[in-house]
Amino acid sequence: MEAAHTHHGDTHGHAHDDHHGHKPSGLMRWVKSTNHKDIGTMYLWFSFTMFLVGGVMALIIRSELFQPGLQIVQPDFFNSMTTYHGLIMVFGAIMPAFVGFANWLIPMQIGAPDMAFPRMNNLSFWLLPPAALLLITAQFMPGGGAGVGWTMYAPLSTQAGPAMDLTIFAVHILGISSIMGSINIITTILNMRAPGLTLMKMPLFCWTWLITAYLLVAVMPVLAGAVTMTLTDRHFGTHFFNAAGGGDPVLYQHIFWFFGHPEVYIIAIPAFGVVSQVIPAFSRKPLFGYASMVYATASIAILSFMVWAHHMYTAGMPVEAQLYFMYATTLIAVPTGVKVFNWVATMWKGSLTFETPMLFALGFLFLFTLGGFTGLVLSITPVDVQLHDTYYVVAHFHYVMVAGALFSAFAGIYFWLPKWTGKMYNESLGKLHFWLSLIFFNVTFFVQHFLGLAGMPRRIPDYSLQFTEFNMISSIGAWGFGLSQLLFLYVVIKCIRSGEKAPDKPWDGADSLEWTHLPTPAPWHSFETPPVIK
Amino acid sequence: MNGVAGGSTPRKATFIEVLQMVLSAFLGIRKRAEHEKLVVAPLQVIVVGVLAAAGFVVTVISVVRLVLR
């Protein structure tokens, strides 16, 4: 508690100049910001920008795949697109989006004035644009972007051109940003809760972020280690991943996936948190099995460290190891199933209404569960040997990442937009955005299951003729999905500029502190005196 | 960090109770009333959690050995 008290003083100290009724303005408001709301806003806009950049890359991929043969791009550039689409969407779009939610919401939901370390918060954010710039400028290096896949496997990554060095440096910077963000979130949640707000009374969103932050602190250094070893293999004569020098390329895969599997949950768990706020609010019932949800989330986080090699069934491993990872992976479905059950039970006999946030939360619930089931299919070793590196895997993880994480982020944005901006978005346009996204998402990705089952490999710019129809359908869906997101941008900008004034609590079922104790729009400093929780 | 506050006077948990708590976490099912009955130090949960995780790995490996015999 000592640190929190000291810090509390600090917050008031450096913030006193805006107590006199004016906020810092102009560009410097954003560059020097230590305000959790401004930083949250920057995270969200940054992630949306990266979402568009990664989305354009996706559209280049899908346009090339509209027909067999090479029409639009060359294979090297295609490989570079699949690589940076993955890296930018994972590290530049989805993760920062949820950090943006954490920044905006955690202080408000626990009754704190701001994050524990506001200056570090500023640095966490401002590390992101240079990293993004590195990933984008990598395209213009001699030899083009590094077409190594987002997993950056050796020996491709140890042999790639100079773009790889920019990519490695970008991953380092993104990792540092994530670790600092996590330290901030952990400290804020553990030290700055309002009196009486015990851990088990926190909104589930805060719990999911507490657990995610620990995951990030645990695995980001592992990723940094993997890419640093790649860097020293490339330039400093080491042979970590070079069999000729006594190293082992499979070692890279083990290290990468020891990071990579928890990373899946780093993305999914905050999404669970958002959905766990939205579903009860529109069911007008408290979350069913709150304690179970907390325990299940912790359990998923722990189990996520013990299943990494299910990504590597075809890399070569003893049958004992294959069986271990297969059994352990299928068991992770149990706590995940508990969560899905709890969301359904929350809605059971509730007074349901279906505003846009609820629609996206339900879209998440259906489609994430579908993505979870295809994950179970892939966890079965002999099946995975058949489906590994096919479009079935691409379909599977896009159900988890897009219909899971992205839909939940949309749910959260529509849910909290009134609190953030003080204005209501246009409900009809929001619903239109949902239906367009839902339909085009499935048009894009459902058919990819069939392509994968028929044997179409991922990460190729050309394919056999028999895959043409499903690829055409998928490409049409991708353009539809991409263009639908411009509607989302329009809805948000329209809301900010000319939305109707939002009431303090537009959702009658919302019950966390930001709705019950703060006016709309939320004040510049959330809680200057902490609320007392009974 | 705050301890766990409950309505009726909660008591300190025994090792078996913490183990039960961790195992129910692995399943993902826990009654709130059960949770509120006990005071559990974070260190207890971490130690028992690590042990139980190791136990989980050993159990799965034993099953694999059994299957392959």
Side-chain angles (χ1 to χ4, degrees):
Chain A
M1 287 307 265
E2 188 77 350
H5 280 306
T6 323
H7 191 75
H8 200 72
D10 256 15
T11 326
H12 279 281
H14 77 75
H16 76 100
D17 58 352
D18 43 61
H19 275 256
H20 309 294
H22 65 86
K23 291 192 275 190
S25 59
L27 186 64
M28 283 300 139
R29 167 183 172 185
W30 302 100
V31 175
K32 292 166 45 180
S33 181
T34 50
N35 182 287
H36 74 100
K37 298 191 180 78
D38 277 0
I39 294 173
T41 303
M42 288 195 290
Y43 263 107
L44 288 164
W45 278 112
F46 172 82
S47 82
F48 189 75
T49 312
M50 287 295 105
F51 174 61
L52 293 184
V53 172
V56 167
M57 292 176 168
L59 291 182
I60 293 172
I61 294 169
R62 279 316 323 167
S63 302
E64 177 54 53
L65 292 174
F66 184 71
Q67 285 185 327
L70 295 177
Q71 284 88 29
I72 301 171
V73 296
Q74 292 302 305
D76 278 347
F77 184 68
F78 183 91
N79 287 343
S80 166
M81 287 296 100
T82 57
T83 303
Y84 292 92
H85 164 71
L87 285 170
I88 285 175
M89 286 305 200
V90 168
F91 294 104
I94 304 180
M95 287 172 68
F98 286 106
V99 182
F101 279 106
N103 261 298
W104 254 103
L105 297 170
I106 288 173
M108 296 202 287
Q109 291 191 334
I110 64 172
D114 205 305
M115 297 294 279
F117 307 116
R119 288 188 179 87
M120 188 163 81
N121 205 10
N122 174 292
L123 184 57
S124 304
F125 172 76
W126 281 109
L127 283 175
L128 295 178
L133 220 55
L134 282 171
L135 289 177
I136 293 166
T137 48
Q139 309 306 317
F140 305 103
M141 294 300 281
V148 296
W150 85 278
T151 50
M152 302 176 282
Y153 275 8
L156 268 183
S157 59
T158 50
Q159 294 164 1
M164 192 65 217
D165 300 315
L166 270 67
T167 310
I168 289 172
F169 192 36
V171 170
H172 277 139
I173 297 175
L174 291 164
I176 294 169
S177 162
S178 289
I179 291 171
M180 291 199 303
S182 302
I183 293 170
N184 218 337
I185 288 166
I186 293 170
T187 314
T188 307
I189 292 178
L190 293 185
N191 280 336
M192 294 176 69
R193 296 192 312 281
L197 186 74
T198 60
L199 284 172
M200 288 303 276
K201 283 184 188 166
M202 286 195 305
L204 204 81
F205 177 77
C206 297
W207 256 113
T208 55
W209 249 113
L210 181 63
I211 291 166
T212 304
Y214 274 108
L215 279 180
L216 274 168
V217 171
V219 301
M220 274 302 173
V222 178
L223 176 66
V227 295
T228 306
M229 284 190 263
T230 307
L231 188 74
T232 59
D233 270 14
R234 287 167 59 80
H235 296 297
F236 304 110
T238 57
H239 299 284
F240 291 111
F241 309 130
N242 179 5
D248 184 357
V250 178
L251 172 67
Y252 178 86
Q253 299 188 22
H254 279 291
I255 301 172
F256 180 84
W257 286 112
F258 189 79
F259 146 80
H261 199 74
E263 170 69 17
V264 174
Y265 291 94
I266 286 166
I267 289 170
I269 289 176
F272 295 165
V274 169
V275 167
S276 300
Q277 300 300 121
V278 171
I279 290 183
F282 293 92
S283 307
R284 291 154 183 82
K285 275 175 66 192
L287 185 68
F288 181 88
Y290 170 89
S292 296
M293 287 297 243
V294 172
Y295 283 75
T297 310
S299 171
I300 291 170
I302 293 166
L303 287 172
S304 73
F305 285 100
M306 301 174 190
V307 295
W308 74 91
H310 66 214
H311 296 271
M312 310 165 43
Y313 284 143
T314 58
M317 75 175 93
V319 72
E320 288 91 337
Q322 291 185 333
L323 282 177
Y324 164 79
F325 284 109
M326 177 168 101
Y327 294 161
T329 305
T330 47
L331 286 170
I332 227 177
V334 175
T336 313
V338 166
K339 297 183 84 79
V340 172
F341 173 81
N342 283 346
W343 288 318
V344 174
T346 303
M347 290 185 284
W348 181 254
K349 294 191 173 174
S351 309
L352 299 172
T353 52
F354 300 96
E355 288 89 342
T356 312
M358 182 63 161
L359 289 176
F360 271 108
L362 291 177
F364 162 92
L365 191 54
F366 280 106
L367 298 176
F368 177 81
T369 307
L370 190 58
F373 276 129
T374 54
L376 269 177
V377 170
L378 289 167
S379 76
I380 311 298
T381 314
V383 178
D384 182 78
V385 170
Q386 182 72 21
L387 294 175
H388 190 88
D389 267 349
T390 68
Y391 261 82
Y392 192 89
V393 178
V394 177
H396 154 68
F397 68 73
H398 281 92
Y399 270 80
V400 176
M401 297 287 152
V402 181
L406 184 66
F407 275 26
S408 130
F410 284 145
I413 288 168
Y414 284 112
F415 186 61
W416 281 292
L417 206 52
K419 179 55 69 181
W420 295 341
T421 62
K423 294 175 183 162
M424 285 305 281
Y425 61 88
N426 182 315
E427 191 63 55
S428 314
L429 287 179
K431 283 181 175 162
L432 180 65
H433 171 229
F434 167 74
W435 286 109
L436 288 174
S437 298
L438 183 84
I439 292 166
F440 282 123
F441 168 80
N442 282 294
V443 171
T444 312
F445 292 107
F446 200 78
V447 292
Q448 295 187 0
H449 292 109
F450 307 141
L451 285 170
L453 288 167
M456 178 171 162
R458 67 192 281 207
R459 294 168 170 162
I460 49 153
D462 187 10
Y463 51 81
S464 307
L465 294 178
Q466 73 269 27
F467 303 131
T468 310
E469 281 79 7
F470 285 139
N471 269 299
M472 284 184 166
I473 294 172
S474 182
S475 294
I476 292 167
W479 275 94
F481 188 82
L483 294 175
S484 306
Q485 305 322 312
L486 298 178
L487 174 63
F488 170 67
L489 181 64
Y490 174 73
V491 174
V492 171
I493 290 175
K494 188 168 142 62
C495 167
I496 294 169
R497 293 175 65 127
S498 61
E500 279 177 35
K501 195 181 171 336
D504 279 359
K505 195 153 103 65
W507 319 118
D508 18 287
D511 62 354
S512 43
L513 289 180
E514 79 274 26
W515 299 111
T516 56
H517 283 63
L518 287 176
T520 294
W524 179 244
H525 291 292
S526 298
F527 286 96
E528 295 192 21
T529 43
V532 177
I533 314 296
K534 60 171 170 51
Chain B
M1 219 175 92
N2 295 357
V4 179
S8 58
T9 51
R11 61 185 174 75
K12 276 190 91 153
T14 63
F15 175 78
I16 298 292
E17 282 167 332
V18 179
L19 185 65
Q20 270 176 349
M21 179 178 153
V22 169
L23 291 181
S24 59
F26 275 15
L27 193 62
I29 296 176
R30 177 91 170 152
K31 273 191 193 149
R32 190 159 192 135
E34 289 284 318
H35 169 80
E36 283 170 353
K37 235 166 45 186
L38 300 170
V39 179
V40 187
L43 190 66
Q44 269 181 307
V45 185
I46 292 166
V47 170
V48 178
V50 169
L51 287 178
F56 170 79
V57 172
V58 170
T59 312
V60 178
I61 290 176
S62 318
V63 172
V64 170
R65 289 272 156 85
L66 194 72
V67 169
L68 290 178
R69 219 168 30 176

